[in-house]
Amino acid sequence: SQQGEEDPQALSIQEGENATMNCSYKTSINNLQWYRQNSGRGLVHLILIRSNEREKHSGRLRVTLDTSKKSSSLLITASRAADTASYFCAWDSWGKLQFGAGTQVVVTP
Amino acid sequence: DAGVIQSPRHEVTEMGQEVTLRCKPISGHNSLFWYRQTMMRGLELLIYFNNNVPIDDSGMPEDRFSAKMPNASFSTLKIQPSEPRDSAVYFCASSLISDNTEAFFGQGTRLTVV
């Protein structure tokens, strides 16, 4: 995808387990965001971390950002079947918002 | 607010025909993005506008693609002539121009060119 990568491409876990996905980008950024996409739908914003922040929490979500390595991670704790979706990171470079390739997460009951 | 509204939701057209996709951003938002999503290439940023002005169109694949934003509440993405490789889901998103704000996405237009 445009100037960035995500891994893994796919992740299959059981309910209750944690899911971790990683994102790398190549440009300077204002912030990094994570979005979720259910099949056939538009993307929905989950969480935003500013370039001067290192970690942020929101409910069962935990995001880290390492601007020196140009990388971020998203952790979903205690996953549920309803968390099954594709997850995308997006880096905001002064208003230009570009996305990674996404991680497809399947949570089985 | 009803969110970002895209039309049509689905479009099937024959190769060589002109296709126009439409987007109504969230009222008050002043930044608008057009993306294309395919399995092979993921989510590509085609063009974005700030205050109705195109800022970066480097993602527009070819001259067959054009986008306009005549006012703050409406944008179009036109493909002329369309080709089968243009088949994809096209998303419009809007946001507020400021530091650290999220983008809101429409439901997308699924384009099939046969």
Side-chain angles (χ1 to χ4, degrees):
Chain A
S1 64
Q2 294 169 330
Q3 303 184 32
E5 296 179 354
E6 284 187 61
D7 76 270
Q9 288 187 341
L11 183 60
S12 185
I13 56 175
Q14 292 192 322
E15 271 192 326
E17 294 181 338
N18 297 341
T20 300
M21 55 212 87
N22 304 294
C23 167
S24 63
Y25 56 93
K26 297 181 181 179
T27 64
S28 298
I29 63 171
N30 290 9
N31 64 70
L32 189 131
Q33 305 175 30
W34 286 88
Y35 288 77
R36 166 190 169 128
Q37 183 181 35
N38 286 83
S39 180
R41 307 294 295 271
L43 280 76
V44 175
H45 181 264
L46 294 175
I47 191 168
L48 180 153
I49 184 166
R50 303 182 184 200
S51 60
N52 61 354
E53 297 176 316
R54 293 295 168 258
E55 187 171 315
K56 196 163 184 179
H57 297 253
S58 176
R60 294 184 295 112
L61 304 179
R62 173 180 170 252
V63 172
T64 64
L65 179 64
D66 186 337
T67 52
S68 67
K69 295 181 179 178
K70 290 186 165 57
S71 67
S72 174
S73 68
L74 172 68
L75 168 68
I76 305 173
T77 61
S79 62
R80 305 166 182 169
D83 294 329
T84 295
S86 292
Y87 293 83
F88 295 85
C89 68
W91 46 96
D92 180 346
S93 298
W94 288 272
K96 184 173 183 177
L97 190 65
Q98 295 177 271
F99 284 78
T103 295
Q104 193 169 13
V105 176
V106 175
V107 182
T108 54
Chain B
D1 199 310
V4 176
I5 300 173
Q6 291 187 245
S7 64
R9 290 293 309 277
H10 302 272
E11 176 82 28
V12 180
T13 190
E14 291 186 347
M15 182 175 63
Q17 296 297 306
E18 175 182 303
V19 176
T20 300
L21 311 181
R22 297 172 175 80
C23 175
K24 176 178 168 55
I26 291 173
S27 178
H29 281 188
N30 47 15
S31 190
L32 183 139
F33 306 83
W34 281 102
Y35 294 91
R36 177 173 71 176
Q37 187 175 36
T38 61
M39 289 294 293
M40 291 296 295
R41 300 177 68 87
L43 200 61
E44 302 172 275
L45 175 62
L46 300 178
I47 185 171
Y48 75 100
F49 297 82
N50 283 350
N51 293 316
N52 313 336
V53 176
I55 302 301
D56 187 329
D57 66 354
S58 59
M60 296 285 262
E62 337 179 353
D63 291 346
R64 298 184 296 106
F65 286 68
S66 62
K68 294 182 179 180
M69 192 164 187
N71 57 62
S73 58
F74 185 65
S75 178
T76 59
L77 178 67
K78 184 178 292 186
I79 308 172
Q80 180 185 23
S82 58
E83 296 182 4
R85 59 194 169 120
D86 302 330
S87 297
V89 181
Y90 291 80
F91 287 103
C92 174
S94 71
S95 71
L96 280 170
I97 300 173
S98 70
D99 286 341
N100 306 309
T101 58
E102 65 191 86
F104 292 81
F105 278 74
Q107 291 301 300
T109 295
R110 182 174 296 275
L111 173 65
T112 303
V113 183
V114 298

